Amino acid sequence: MTHVSERNSAGSNGAEGGDRQPWTAGSGRGQRKRSATYAEAGVSIHAGDRAVELLKAKVKKTSRPEVIGDLGGFSGLFRLNTAKYKSPILASSTDGVGTKLVIAQQLDIHDTIGIDLVAMVVDDLVACGAEPLFLLDYIACGEVVPDKVAEIGAGIADGCRYAGCALLGGETAEHPGVLRPDEYDVSATGVGVVEESEILGKERVELGDAVIAMRSSGLHSNGYSLVRHVLLGAGRMRLDTVVDDFGTQRTLGEELLTPTKIYAKDCLGLIEETDVRAFSHVTGGGIPGNLNRVLPTTMDAIVDRSTWRPQPIFDLIQAKGRIEDSEMEATFNMGVGMFAVVSPDDADRAMAYLTGRGVEAWQVGEVVEGSGEVQMMGSYTRG
């Protein structure tokens, strides 16, 4: 984050922060009127500057050799190494984390939501085979509290390090009167690069290809409006409730704030090791609504539910809300955060490689003749 977007106007007589400067109305008059300040309107330039200072060390750790300059400029500079590619294609993605933010704000825990933000962006980028290069963030606050903004930014920086991309800059804006003092929203845009001849997608998918699942860390960052309605609203559960199925002394709030898994480096490594045809990042729309995006119109993907067990949080949500199976699968990832479609000859190698990197992976099915649909078969493993 480079700076705070709100600035003092020319009519503020140079007043900054909480300073109050007198103003004389007309020459020769003794009457003085106190000028309004930006701080009185609810915007603190000093708080924003302090937040940036707290973040600089974290952001510096995300730097790559291609980054030019430091934080504080009007734009972030990144030297693209065009000699590395024959025909480089830039990929871009932008996203937020939805109402998962509400849980973070209710618990006053802000150092993981930035990881979610980065994951939503970079894992979309890598789906086409692109290496994430850099990310720009945007944080809008009702009130800039430096320590809180620094926590949010620290999570973003951590996410960028996990993904191998630079946090090139961004914006922190204070919006009093639009957001409550304790409210904020975040978004980010990422840019990646891929060789044109190596772009992944449905054009590469072939009959008989293996469909490999990579386990999610939980809910990730989708469906939280339904989660809050079912668990915290109608279900009347508290965020500090300990749920035995989640593990020793793990609360509902801790489970709901589990950071989204970042697969970027795992996927890029898998491309180097095996013949990957496509990746599908499972976000809004669930498994059927995302895996079908990488299927040709003449092929289907079979997904065998019996090959895995969704995490207990999905069982809790479904039971509390009496939610139909189809609604669950259209809303949540059900325990799979990313799919890889690979050559059948490379299926075992792909699973071994991912397992070696600490990613739980298994074959859920294959590509068959069809019409571009996902065929969900069998029942999830329970108990």
Side-chain angles (χ1 to χ4, degrees):
M1 288 168 290
T2 54
H3 55 279
V4 176
S5 63
E6 298 280 3
R7 289 182 171 77
N8 289 330
S9 65
S12 66
N13 261 355
E16 294 184 2
D19 298 336
R20 299 181 179 182
Q21 300 292 333
W23 175 71
T24 303
S27 59
R29 294 185 179 182
Q31 182 182 7
R32 294 193 304 174
K33 295 183 179 179
R34 179 177 56 81
S35 68
T37 66
Y38 217 178
E40 289 174 330
V43 178
S44 171
I45 300 300
H46 294 311
D49 291 343
R50 174 61 179 158
V52 173
E53 285 300 318
L54 291 174
L55 272 171
K56 280 188 174 180
K58 273 276 189 179
V59 175
K60 189 174 182 179
K61 292 181 180 179
T62 74
S63 186
R64 293 172 48 125
E66 303 96 328
V67 175
I68 301 172
D70 202 353
L71 289 179
F74 286 97
S75 60
L77 302 177
F78 190 96
R79 180 185 290 107
L80 180 62
N81 182 10
T82 56
K84 184 179 177 181
Y85 306 90
K86 293 180 180 178
S87 180
I89 300 296
L90 295 180
S92 62
S93 176
T94 189
D95 214 334
V97 297
T99 60
K100 189 172 185 176
L101 285 171
V102 176
I103 307 298
Q105 291 164 14
Q106 289 176 340
L107 291 173
D108 196 26
I109 297 174
H110 314 285
D111 59 350
T112 61
I113 207 72
I115 299 174
D116 294 294
L117 179 62
V118 176
M120 297 300 286
V121 173
V122 299
D123 286 343
D124 273 356
L125 289 175
V126 80
C128 73
E131 176 191 0
L133 296 176
F134 59 84
L135 183 134
L136 302 166
D137 66 58
Y138 179 82
I139 302 174
C141 307
E143 177 184 351
V144 171
V145 178
D147 288 342
K148 181 189 292 187
V149 173
E151 288 180 24
I152 300 169
I156 297 173
D158 286 341
C160 287
R161 284 195 299 106
Y162 302 154
C165 67
L167 180 53
L168 197 57
E171 188 82 356
T172 301
E174 195 163 27
H175 292 169
V178 177
L179 297 170
R180 293 197 308 265
D182 61 334
E183 287 182 331
Y184 61 86
D185 197 4
V186 297
S187 64
T189 297
V191 173
V193 63
V194 59
E195 184 69 67
E196 185 172 12
S197 62
E198 298 175 4
I199 295 174
L200 303 180
K202 63 178 66 178
E203 296 79 12
R204 289 178 174 262
V205 175
E206 299 180 5
L207 289 173
D209 282 348
V211 181
I212 307 297
M214 301 180 215
R215 193 162 184 84
S216 71
S217 56
L219 290 170
H220 284 187
S221 299
N222 295 104
Y224 274 76
S225 293
L226 179 57
V227 170
R228 292 186 300 110
H229 171 69
V230 168
L231 299 185
L232 306 181
R236 299 183 180 277
M237 294 185 70
R238 292 168 51 97
L239 292 173
D240 60 0
T241 300
V242 175
V243 181
D244 291 339
D245 287 345
F246 294 164
T248 306
Q249 295 298 307
R250 186 167 173 82
T251 66
L252 176 62
E254 289 172 328
E255 179 67 29
L256 296 183
L257 278 190
T258 301
T260 302
K261 170 69 176 173
I262 295 177
Y263 301 95
K265 286 186 176 180
D266 305 313
C267 290
L268 291 174
L270 190 63
I271 292 171
E272 296 294 323
E273 293 291 327
T274 66
D275 185 5
V276 178
R277 321 284 205 194
F279 289 118
S280 173
H281 184 202
V282 184
T283 55
I287 292 173
N290 286 283
L291 186 53
N292 67 352
R293 297 165 68 177
V294 298
L295 294 175
T297 56
T298 58
M299 302 179 199
D300 285 359
I302 292 176
V303 172
D304 184 355
R305 299 183 184 93
S306 69
T307 59
W308 82 95
R309 179 188 178 186
Q311 290 92 332
I313 183 63
F314 298 105
D315 293 334
L316 178 65
I317 294 167
Q318 185 165 21
K320 285 286 187 179
R322 300 177 182 177
I323 303 172
E324 298 288 338
D325 290 345
S326 58
E327 183 68 15
M328 289 292 295
E329 290 182 337
T331 307
F332 303 109
N333 66 58
M334 300 305 293
V336 179
M338 182 77 78
F339 286 102
V341 181
V342 306
S343 163
D345 295 335
D346 278 350
D348 290 341
R349 183 176 177 82
M351 289 183 287
Y353 174 80
L354 291 169
T355 300
R357 289 187 58 86
V359 179
E360 186 179 346
W362 65 98
Q363 183 169 348
V364 296
E366 61 180 341
V367 176
V368 299
E369 292 184 357
S371 56
E373 301 297 325
V374 177
Q375 299 181 30
M376 303 291 293
M377 313 288 287
S379 300
Y380 295 114
T381 302
R382 304 289 185 184

